[in-house]
Amino acid sequence: MADNVFEANTTFSSGSTITTSYGTINQEVVPVTKDQLIEMKESSVEEFWQFAVAEFVVAGALWLAIEKLLDRSEGEPLSPIFWVCLVAVALGAVVGWAGFRQLQRRKTKIDKILESFDSEKS
């Protein structure tokens, strides 16, 4: 029974760590609130959809723009569809960039949690 020990370390100014021991496995963890976990989960879903929509729009619009560019006759002006495709590529890139920024914000939050864990060890 003594092998299955759950103990909490001292609380520091930056937070606390918890050391769990089960058999021969010892693991240090940092407590994270339920709200933080929910926020990280929701932002990952947003990132997925932003990247998925951006990839679809950019790929489709770029493909169609190239097709319209290559199919036109010599001296023929570019069709309005070509210009609409370029706008769609730009908008898709903006949505993809927004998804990337969302990823960076979530990564920064996780890094802060890990930094607090590392600062407590020293």
Side-chain angles (χ1 to χ4, degrees):
M1 192 85 149
D3 289 340
N4 302 333
V5 177
F6 178 81
E7 59 185 66
N9 287 344
T10 308
T11 301
F12 298 96
S13 61
S14 60
S16 65
T17 59
I18 300 169
T19 304
T20 58
S21 300
Y22 185 78
T24 59
I25 301 171
N26 296 318
Q27 187 174 22
E28 291 184 61
V29 296
V30 178
V32 178
T33 66
K34 183 179 179 181
D35 291 338
Q36 289 173 319
L37 291 174
I38 290 170
E39 183 181 346
M40 286 182 218
K41 178 184 171 190
E42 288 173 353
S43 67
S44 67
V45 171
E46 291 171 14
E47 291 163 23
F48 167 77
W49 283 111
Q50 286 171 339
F51 282 123
V53 168
E55 181 181 6
F56 177 77
V57 170
V58 169
L62 191 59
W63 181 272
L64 186 57
I66 291 171
E67 180 185 341
K68 292 296 179 187
L69 183 65
L70 296 177
D71 283 348
R72 72 184 179 103
S73 302
E74 184 83 24
E76 182 183 347
L78 293 170
S79 71
I81 293 176
F82 174 80
W83 298 109
V84 169
C85 288
L86 290 184
V87 170
V89 168
L91 291 175
V94 168
V95 171
W97 179 81
F100 177 75
R101 291 296 301 145
Q102 184 79 8
L103 170 69
Q104 291 301 317
R105 282 192 296 272
R106 184 169 57 94
K107 184 181 177 300
T108 301
K109 289 177 186 176
I110 293 170
D111 287 343
K112 284 181 182 178
I113 292 169
L114 293 175
E115 283 173 12
S116 71
F117 179 72
D118 291 339
S119 67
E120 290 172 2
K121 281 184 154 181
S122 54

